[in-house]
């Protein structure tokens, strides 16, 4: 289906990551596919798609990377690929994001959004850079610009970023989105360091406001016991989450256990280390997926209602 690059070669096209059965020698394709069929059973029963926000090399089907920092060698190994807006760099524009989405063959793209201005390096004049007086105003203006620039014939489906409190922000921008050619798909930002109770209550308030049809994605959400238990009880709250916790833990001498707590671990050193690390991230993501399915028995008793987290 595509040429198989040599070990360590830099792939230039997404097709470089496809291999025919004849390309496989050590890993018998029938045995490998049989194993992955079992993994797909777990994925199919998970109500939430868990995206790896990392550049580690492995074939997890869901991947999110930032515009300007997207690494094709890992991005293209995933079937579902979100190109995020890179909120930490205010110099990245909607034009940059949409152009890179085409170049990197992203399957979804996020409109440019902004952090509260005081969180950026003082070298940036945010008011001059954005033409706005606050991050909320700058993000709202950016969403309108993004919609004007987005061409459904050229660009992948889009997510519209929201900052908390989400109910307030959605009132600023929902009419713009509904009147556009875009589907209602919202990226819930600003809660990367929030506790599960805050994440759940903010998402539930937004869901109550906009109904069940729009897609919601939790940006940078970890999967602690409290959040997993809540999503098991209320699987329609959000459609997907992403997190960089597994890769960060692995590259810093640890692994995340099933409770999403870091435990000491020593990773190998030297060439191909990224691929070894990727296998561990794959396992952590699979374990998190399993915890949200019917196959997991940890949460079969003492289920709590969504109100217990609000």
């Amino acid at each position: 289906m595509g040429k198989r690059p040599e070990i360590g070669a830099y792939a230039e096209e997404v097709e470089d990551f496809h291999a025919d059965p004849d390309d496989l020698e050590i890993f018998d394709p029938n045995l490998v596919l049989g194993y992955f069929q079992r993994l797909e059973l777990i994925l199919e029963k998970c109500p939430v798609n868990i995206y790896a926000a990392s550049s580690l090399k492995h074939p997890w089907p869901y991947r999110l990377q930032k515009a300007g920092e997207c690494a094709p060698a890992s991005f293209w190994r995933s079937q579902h690929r979100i190109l995020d807006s890179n909120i930490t760099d205010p110099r990245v524009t909607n034009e940059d994001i949409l152009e890179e989405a085409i170049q990197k063959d992203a399957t979804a793209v996020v409109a440019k959004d902004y952090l509260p201005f005081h969180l950026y390096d003082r070298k940036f004049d945010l008011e001059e850079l954005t033409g706005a007086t606050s991050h909320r105003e700058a993000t709202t203006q950016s969403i309108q610009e993004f919609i004007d620039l987005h061409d459904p014939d050229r660009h992948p489906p889009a997510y519209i970023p929201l900052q908390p409190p989400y109910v307030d922000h959605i009132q600023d921008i929902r009419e713009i989105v509904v009147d556009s050619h875009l589907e209602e798909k919202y990226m819930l930002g600003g809660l990367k360091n929030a506790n599960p109770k805050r994440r759940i209550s903010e998402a539930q308030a937004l869901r109550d406001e906009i109904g069940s049809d729009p897609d919601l994605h939790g940006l940078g959400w970890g999967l602690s016991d409290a959040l997993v238990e809540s999503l098991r009880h209320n699987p329609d709250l959000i459609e997907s989450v992403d997190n960089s916790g597994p890769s960060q833990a692995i590259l810093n001498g640890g692994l995340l256990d099933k409770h999403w707590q870091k435990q000491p671990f020593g990773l190998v050193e030297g060439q191909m280390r990224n691929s070894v690390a990727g296998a561990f991230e794959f396992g952590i993501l699979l374990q998190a997926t399993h915890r949200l399915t019917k196959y997991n028995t940890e949460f079969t008793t003492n289920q709590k209602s969504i109100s217990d987290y609000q």
Side-chain angles (χ1 to χ4, degrees):
M1 188 171 174
K3 64 181 184 295
R4 186 184 184 191
E6 296 296 324
I7 291 176
Y10 183 82
E12 297 180 354
E13 302 291 341
V14 67
E15 289 77 12
D16 292 343
F17 289 89
H18 294 261
D20 295 322
D22 291 341
D23 291 326
L24 301 174
E25 297 174 0
I26 298 175
F27 289 103
D28 182 285
N30 294 310
L31 297 178
V32 171
L33 290 175
Y35 173 68
F36 275 92
Q37 284 177 339
R38 294 181 66 84
L39 302 190
E40 286 190 351
L41 290 176
I42 299 174
L43 285 165
E44 287 172 0
K45 296 300 181 182
C46 184
V48 178
N49 295 332
I50 303 172
Y51 281 73
S54 86
S55 59
L56 296 183
K57 295 182 176 67
H58 55 76
W60 188 254
Y62 306 104
R63 183 84 62 162
L64 178 144
Q65 291 186 8
K66 298 178 181 178
E69 302 176 18
C70 181
S74 53
F75 196 61
W76 287 341
R77 280 179 164 86
S78 300
Q79 296 157 289
H80 306 278
R81 304 175 295 277
I82 298 176
L83 187 71
D84 189 25
S85 64
N86 199 344
I87 193 172
T88 58
D89 188 344
R91 297 166 299 182
V92 176
T93 66
N94 281 313
E95 291 93 338
D96 296 334
I97 297 165
L98 289 168
E99 182 61 30
E100 187 170 357
I102 296 172
Q103 293 175 352
K104 300 294 175 61
D105 199 27
T107 60
V109 63
V110 184
K112 180 62 184 175
D113 54 349
Y114 296 91
L115 294 167
F117 287 176
H118 71 274
L119 296 178
Y120 289 108
D121 191 304
R122 291 184 178 180
K123 68 181 180 181
F124 298 120
D125 186 334
L126 272 300
E127 291 190 14
E128 180 179 350
L129 194 63
T130 66
T133 58
S134 71
H135 77 290
R136 178 75 62 80
E137 181 186 358
T139 299
T140 299
Q141 292 177 358
S142 175
I143 290 169
Q144 181 63 72
E145 178 190 62
F146 178 88
I147 291 171
D148 293 339
L149 292 171
H150 185 274
D151 181 349
D153 294 328
R154 298 179 62 237
H155 302 124
Y159 281 92
I160 298 301
L162 297 177
Q163 293 292 316
Y166 300 133
V167 171
D168 291 347
H169 199 188
I170 196 70
Q171 292 172 354
D172 292 341
I173 60 92
R174 193 178 190 193
E175 185 176 353
I176 299 172
V177 177
V178 171
D179 290 343
S180 75
H181 62 280
L182 299 180
E183 296 181 19
E184 282 195 275
K185 297 164 71 74
Y186 298 107
M187 188 74 70
L188 307 184
L191 295 181
K192 182 177 181 180
N193 298 318
N195 60 40
K197 181 178 180 179
R198 172 91 188 278
R199 290 171 176 161
I200 293 163
S201 62
E202 287 277 6
Q204 187 61 57
L206 177 62
R207 185 61 81 189
D208 292 342
E209 173 77 14
I210 65 177
S212 60
D213 288 340
D215 283 358
L216 302 182
H217 176 100
L219 188 65
W221 285 25
L223 289 166
S224 63
D225 288 351
L227 189 57
V228 169
E229 187 171 8
S230 178
L231 292 176
R232 284 177 64 92
H233 183 77
N234 187 12
D236 297 326
L237 180 64
I238 58 175
E239 279 65 39
S240 56
V241 300
D242 73 85
N243 51 82
S244 60
S247 64
Q248 291 176 359
I250 292 165
L251 296 175
N252 289 282
L255 290 178
L256 294 186
D257 63 18
K258 68 179 182 179
H259 305 294
W260 220 247
Q261 297 297 312
K262 183 179 177 181
Q263 303 298 334
F265 175 75
L267 184 66
V268 296
E269 301 292 339
Q271 292 183 335
M272 309 296 285
R273 181 173 184 262
N274 189 291
S275 294
V276 177
F280 285 101
E281 182 178 36
F282 188 101
I284 293 171
L285 295 168
L286 181 62
Q287 177 160 269
T289 300
H290 187 278
R291 296 189 90 206
L292 286 163
T293 71
K294 67 178 185 179
Y295 302 118
N296 191 283
T297 59
E298 299 171 57
F299 302 95
T300 53
T301 58
N302 299 320
Q303 283 275 20
K304 297 180 180 180
S305 68
I306 191 71
S307 62
D308 292 327
Y309 295 93
Q310 297 178 334

